[in-house]
Amino acid sequence: MRLILLLLAGIFVNNYIFSQFLGICPFLGVSKKVETAAGMGIAVIFVIVLACAATWLIYNLILVPLGLEYLYNIAFILVIAALVQFIEMFIKKSSPSLYQALGVYLPLITTNCAVLGCAVTNMQNGYNFIEAIVNGIGGAGGFAFAIVLFAGIRERIAYNDIPKPFDGFPLALIGAGLMSVSFLGFSGLIKL
């Protein structure tokens, strides 16, 4: 039951974008089309889940036994950078059109705070390996859900008659703010 609550909390209650405000750069940059947002969401899911597993192992099996816990930031960033390079090479070979559509935002997964935030959350909350993976799946699923949902809204808004001062990015920020407020309705729903 705890694992299901952890998963649902990651998607709705502790959503990295709308609740913790992590990963805003790719959220705003890649959310113009649903296809691109879905590709980014899948890439982020893959990176976060693998990063949570790898960083948990590195932290608990290497850094803690050696008394080097203070090096967690450096270790986590190196693991995340390596994973993103792997993902980038894979997408470039398997789907060149998605690689082109993601553009500069794909390498930016390396600096996506949601990925590092999930790894640090696992460490700070003392999750075991399975809980860390489930938290990663929930957090990444919440990120993908948010970016695809927002891309769908942006696609529909793009064809409306919008006052000139709000056209483009200002309207995106207003929409993101309203979605964030709506996700506040989930706050306090799940306590772990």
Side-chain angles (χ1 to χ4, degrees):
M1 186 62 161
R2 177 175 165 78
L3 295 178
I4 293 171
L5 289 176
L6 194 60
L7 182 71
L8 291 174
I11 295 172
F12 298 110
V13 179
N14 302 323
N15 187 290
Y16 285 120
I17 293 174
F18 297 131
S19 177
Q20 299 180 23
F21 306 110
L22 298 174
I24 299 295
C25 177
F27 171 72
L28 292 172
V30 184
S31 62
K32 291 180 184 171
K33 294 187 178 189
V34 172
E35 296 83 21
T36 309
M40 175 60 90
I42 291 168
V44 168
I45 288 172
F46 191 68
V47 169
I48 285 181
V49 172
L50 287 178
C52 285
T55 56
W56 188 93
L57 291 170
I58 288 170
Y59 183 77
N60 289 292
L61 301 180
I62 297 173
L63 297 179
V64 171
L66 296 175
L68 300 172
E69 297 95 342
Y70 59 90
L71 293 176
Y72 75 89
N73 265 335
I74 296 169
F76 290 3
I77 289 170
L78 289 173
V79 167
I80 292 165
L83 287 172
V84 170
Q85 289 300 312
F86 172 73
I87 297 291
E88 187 175 2
M89 290 186 304
F90 178 77
I91 290 176
K92 189 174 186 178
K93 291 281 186 190
S94 65
S95 179
S97 60
L98 178 60
Y99 179 79
Q100 285 291 81
L102 292 174
V104 72
Y105 294 101
L106 187 58
L108 282 178
I109 295 176
T110 303
T111 59
N112 185 342
C113 359
V115 181
L116 183 59
C118 190
V120 172
T121 299
N122 291 337
M123 178 200 67
Q124 288 176 341
N125 292 337
Y127 291 149
N128 64 35
F129 185 73
I130 299 298
E131 290 172 337
I133 298 294
V134 170
N135 184 50
I137 292 169
F143 181 91
F145 173 68
I147 197 169
V148 170
L149 186 66
F150 191 58
I153 291 171
R154 284 183 79 176
E155 277 187 356
R156 295 198 49 126
I157 290 174
Y159 299 109
N160 293 332
D161 187 27
I162 303 199
K164 192 73 172 158
F166 293 106
D167 195 22
F169 201 65
L171 189 61
L173 290 175
I174 291 169
L178 290 173
M179 286 183 72
S180 180
V181 168
S182 69
F183 268 73
L184 282 176
F186 294 117
S187 64
L189 192 63
I190 297 175
K191 301 276 186 194
L192 294 173

